[in-house]
Amino acid sequence: MVRAASQSGEADVIIDRIIGLAETWLSDNRHQVDRVVHERSHWWIPKSVDRRVADALVGGVIDVLH
């Protein structure tokens, strides 16, 4: 069934939709990524660095999805 769906191109539509949903979720929930990075960061690392790391993570994942 998977092979038939992938050969017909129907799976491409589903995969594109999933990628779009993942990108939207990441964009809408950047604050959660910021929070997790800050929580796992060392106390002596400035918040501005944490934010840059979180932005790089989100941007990198979105680039991979594209």
Side-chain angles (χ1 to χ4, degrees), residues 41-58:
S41 181
H42 295 288
W43 64 268
W44 47 268
I45 296 178
K47 284 186 179 184
S48 61
V49 173
D50 289 343
R51 272 187 244 110
R52 289 179 66 189
V53 168
D55 286 343
L57 286 169
V58 171

Side-chain angles (χ1 to χ4, degrees), residues 15-27 57-66:
I15 292 169
D16 287 344
R17 182 69 177 136
I18 291 169
I19 289 171
L21 290 170
E23 183 178 352
T24 299
W25 186 91
L26 281 169
S27 296
L57 286 169
V58 171
V61 170
I62 288 173
D63 287 347
V64 168
L65 290 173
H66 284 206

